[in-house]
Amino acid sequence: VPRGLRADVLRVIALDPRDLATRRWAVAVRIDMREFAEARRMMGDALAIWPNEPNLLGFKAGTFQAVGQLDEAQAIVAQLHPEMKDYDAVAPIFQQARLRRNSALALPIIEPLARPSKTGIDWLGNANCVGDLQTLAGNKEAAQASYSAIRARANELVQERPQNTLALGELARAQAGLGERAAALQTIDKLTALESRDLRNRPGVEDLRARILSRFGEKDEAIAILQRLLETRYEGWFGLPLTPALLRLDPDFDLLRDDPRFQKMAQAQP
């Protein structure tokens, strides 16, 4: 992020300190840059105005997750009761459960936000989160039902609008959850091609690609992407950019753990 842009954001906040959207964007930029301590400082200022704002609290939890401080993150996540569009609050709830390998921490909160609907797309991402948590809990039958419902609706949306990048991303996640390796990689290839010239969104798609490749044990390509992402400032598919701590904790990367290249990345100092 250019130095001048950072200064511009601070000037906008100074001119209108009660503009929540600007505050959230400014914090998100710091998180994308892995400046987690500075992001928390900025959130402290914002939370003094909006003390119970779920997305700000979600951001704060994420900054602790990114460095492996899960106890600190849990204290914040326990306060969150997000609604459908509180994306930055849902993501850390989901991540906390996965990083702690305990689906019960998140399923009761996210399941009501994942009910299938013929209108809108927000439920698809939440439903994929539910499927992943059901998989983590060993409830394969329920997970397969979740992924199948997502796949059906996402396919409809892609047929209606082939450049629907959100639907393609959720379709790839569902296909991976169903074990459909070829289909998931084909879908992520389409998404990658659509986002190839978008410098802001492309790394997030690569993040998803690395996760899908890792789930299928495709070590070489997955590790090459992860090495690149650790040196990139970006918004991760689940909000956070990847960090060594997240590599150590995230179950998506379990099949890479015996590879010395992965071990070196996961043990690197931030």
Side-chain angles (χ1 to χ4, degrees):
V1 177
R3 187 185 301 273
L5 180 57
R6 289 200 242 182
D8 288 343
V9 172
L10 293 176
R11 281 195 290 270
V12 171
I13 291 174
L15 289 169
D16 189 359
R18 290 188 172 273
D19 181 41
L20 178 57
T22 300
R23 293 274 192 162
R24 284 177 59 183
W25 184 77
V27 168
V29 167
R30 294 310 192 283
I31 291 173
D32 293 351
M33 298 173 69
R34 300 182 178 85
E35 295 179 355
F36 302 120
E38 175 62 12
R40 281 197 291 273
R41 186 197 67 76
M42 295 178 70
M43 278 181 283
D45 294 341
L47 287 166
I49 302 172
W50 302 281
N52 300 311
E53 210 290 313
N55 296 288
L56 288 173
L57 289 169
F59 278 145
K60 188 174 182 179
T63 64
F64 287 115
Q65 292 169 342
V67 294
Q69 294 179 259
L70 298 188
D71 289 344
E72 290 84 347
Q74 183 61 41
I76 301 167
V77 166
Q79 304 174 43
L80 296 177
H81 302 283
E83 297 184 3
M84 178 75 75
K85 293 184 180 294
D86 290 327
Y87 311 114
D88 297 317
V90 174
I93 293 171
F94 169 63
Q95 283 288 71
Q96 185 73 8
R98 293 175 72 251
L99 298 177
R100 283 217 150 146
R101 313 283 176 130
N102 184 354
S103 297
L105 294 174
L107 273 173
I109 300 170
I110 300 179
E111 279 182 319
L113 307 178
R115 297 191 178 103
S117 170
K118 282 291 183 181
T119 59
I121 195 171
D122 298 305
W123 72 273
L124 285 174
N126 294 336
N128 259 322
C129 291
V130 168
D132 288 350
L133 293 169
Q134 290 167 332
T135 299
L136 185 64
N139 193 343
K140 184 176 181 180
E141 184 176 348
Q144 297 295 291
S146 296
Y147 294 133
S148 295
I150 299 159
R151 180 183 57 186
R153 180 55 180 149
N155 267 319
E156 291 176 355
L157 292 169
V158 171
Q159 288 171 6
E160 293 168 6
R161 188 160 69 88
Q163 294 187 333
N164 188 331
T165 55
L166 289 175
L168 281 167
E170 298 307 335
L171 176 58
R173 286 181 67 190
Q175 290 167 330
L178 289 165
E180 298 173 352
R181 175 187 174 280
L185 292 177
Q186 184 180 39
T187 301
I188 202 69
D189 283 344
K190 293 178 182 177
L191 180 56
T192 301
L194 288 172
E195 298 285 21
S196 63
R197 296 184 180 180
D198 189 325
L199 296 180
R200 176 168 176 78
N201 292 331
R202 185 177 66 197
V205 174
E206 291 183 337
D207 183 309
L208 178 60
R209 184 185 189 89
R211 291 173 181 279
I212 290 174
L213 288 165
S214 298
R215 287 190 185 191
F216 289 110
E218 301 283 350
K219 294 184 179 182
D220 290 343
E221 187 179 354
I223 287 172
I225 294 172
L226 294 175
Q227 288 171 333
R228 184 165 63 250
L229 289 177
L230 285 176
E231 299 177 355
T232 303
R233 298 170 175 177
Y234 77 104
E235 180 182 0
W237 188 261
F238 298 124
L240 293 172
L242 286 171
T243 63
L246 290 173
L247 293 183
R248 292 194 296 272
L249 295 167
D250 196 314
D252 276 347
F253 306 116
D254 282 353
L255 293 183
L256 306 183
R257 300 201 182 281
D258 63 349
D259 191 294
R261 297 168 296 175
F262 180 84
Q263 292 168 1
K264 182 178 179 179
M265 289 188 292
Q267 296 303 321
Q269 294 299 312

